[in-house]
Amino acid sequence: MSTIGKALALLDTLSRLDKEAGLTDIARQCALDKATARRFLVELEKHGFVEQDPDTRRYRIGSAPVRLARIREARFPFLRVAIPFIEALAESSTETVHLSEFAGGQLSTIHVEDPPRAHRIIIDVGSLLPFHATASGLAFLAFCPRAEIDAALKKPLEKFTDYTVTDPRLLLTMLDETAARGFSIIDQGLEAGVISTAAPVRSPSGRPIGCVAIAAPLSRTNTAAIHEFGTQAAAAANAISEKYYGSERPTGTIAKLRRTD
Amino acid sequence: MSTIGKALALLDTLSRLDKEAGLTDIARQCALDKATARRFLVELEKHGFVEQDPDTRRYRIGSAPVRLARIREARFPFLRVAIPFIEALAESSTETVHLSEFAGGQLSTIHVEDPPRAHRIIIDVGSLLPFHATASGLAFLAFCPRAEIDAALKKPLEKFTDYTVTDPRLLLTMLDETAARGFSIIDQGLEAGVISTAAPVRSPSGRPIGCVAIAAPLSRTNTAAIHEFGTQAAAAANAISEKYYGSERPTGTIAKLRRTD
DNA sequence: AAACTATGGTTCAAATATTGAACCTTAAGC
DNA sequence: GCTTAAGGTTCAATATTTGAACCATAGTTT
């Protein structure tokens, strides 16, 4: 792996820790030599990507990403555009609605709207969504080129619950259904007792950039309700896509996209 | 320079461009070989720090910084804490108030509040503040250890206007005045017709982490008004510091800090 | 208080990744 | 259909990265 990759992986690891971490800790978590980790941290600090607390000597994410994020959001205001739709969907569905974005080969949760209910699904911003075990992952993959689907299904597929589907053939069938329907459904794939449905937000070229998903307790849903949620998620995803990219629409139909890619 | 440093410098350059840029452009702007720039971009893209538009093949800042920024702000909510004070100051002073943060060896503007007046100073979020030519830069340096002051004044000091002070000896005197007074004043150092005053937000250890600054048209200010603004900026900076770090106060007096560092 | 341990931080020869001139490919312009 | 320019790739030469061993400091145990 390149040096840059290792340094960025360190940054990612640091960001996923619950709190500030010391040098030895960081080196261990990243499987790097202490000297290497230190040089990376010093270099990242020079550019403001990490900060070292002068008292505790522990490291934390710096402020450079905040500046970059502002620029990114100013030019490419995905959150700003999407959040109103997510809020509306949370209100109408009275279930947890979350938005994910594809970046760095992973699908990450970037926003969550909780419904005002005592019993609801809790999802954290920043959490990663496995492609094979979440509605978002499936919805994302279903509209990707075949090569990327195969690549994703070739990796080891972790079994999170008794219901997690890990058979690539079966997953392919589910992807076909998702593509045909326009939204995915995953029954307890990541967490027991939770059923989810999701639809992709796509760029004008048809490529998915993220997903809108609704997660509900299995105990208070039925097939009809889930299909209704899926339809609503797909509508929200399309609305976000349209607002985000202007009135350009994804080229071609879903079926055509899957064939030509 | 390390590979990581070069890659992060590329990211910084990309963020400062007005719009998305092509490979050749980026390579030229960063003084890198095309092959090198490409490898960096590919590596940065893998981790979500840049994105390549699939149609135009141009590159832009990716979404990874947005995720990192969320984490940073959740753990270290500088903007969230500071903005109310900046807003209040803009309202009471009826001039442009801006907040800067030190990161990666530079002082960058991270927030600006414009007053509701037709004639006002315009400052962009993201703009860099030279240490010797801005009130923020001076206020920051004045509370830094002597070694850092010397390092900053040793660099070539650009003359932005006829009024920019570039004599290190004179600047040192101004820094002493700033430290004694608690806020800096710069008369047309960066832009003709603009006078500014600033005070540092400091961590409990006394180290500046950023500045609160007020910028006003020279034509409608006088010495008394500027001193009043300076006092207000210092009060806001201290209030931010206190709220941000809890009730811990910067250790020692200003004079002591300057001597012992 | 001496010995121990854990952490942050540093060094330098050996190992490895990076570099860039030259090359290929594609697409637009004429 | 030729020319130009941009994106992208290759591989030997080269500069950077690596990590075992080291030092320094602070807290803890005996």
Side-chain angles (χ1 to χ4, degrees), chain B residues 4-26:
Chain B
I4 296 168
K6 280 179 262 182
L8 296 180
L10 183 154
L11 202 58
D12 191 73
T13 304
L14 187 62
S15 78
R16 292 184 197 288
L17 296 174
D18 291 334
K19 47 175 189 54
E20 303 177 12
L23 173 61
T24 309
D25 240 12
I26 293 170

Side-chain angles (χ1 to χ4, degrees), chain B residues 44-58:
Chain B
L44 288 165
E45 184 169 30
K46 269 190 203 159
H47 292 262
F49 283 80
V50 306
E51 250 175 34
Q52 184 178 34
D53 190 298
D55 302 325
T56 66
R57 306 219 141 183
R58 288 165 120 65

Side-chain angles (χ1 to χ4, degrees), chain A residues 160-221:
Chain A
F160 297 100
T161 73
D162 290 347
Y163 304 91
T164 309
V165 177
T166 55
D167 172 19
R169 278 184 48 87
L170 189 47
L171 284 165
L172 266 178
T173 311
M174 291 163 76
L175 287 171
D176 276 331
E177 285 168 15
T178 299
R181 198 165 45 202
F183 57 86
S184 63
I185 299 173
I186 280 276
D187 181 1
Q188 311 181 70
L190 187 61
E191 194 86 41
V194 177
I195 188 159
S196 293
T197 175
V201 176
R202 295 191 293 151
S203 77
S205 67
R207 171 172 288 272
I209 61 165
C211 291
V212 174
I214 304 181
L218 189 63
S219 53
R220 67 167 167 244
T221 52

Side-chain angles (χ1 to χ4, degrees), chain A residues 14 17 19-26 29 41 57-60, chain B residues 75:
Chain A
L14 187 61
L17 296 173
K19 49 177 188 52
E20 305 178 11
L23 173 60
T24 309
D25 239 11
I26 294 171
Q29 298 237 18
L41 286 165
R57 307 220 142 182
R58 284 162 127 60
Y59 297 89
R60 61 167 165 261
Chain B
R75 291 199 205 148

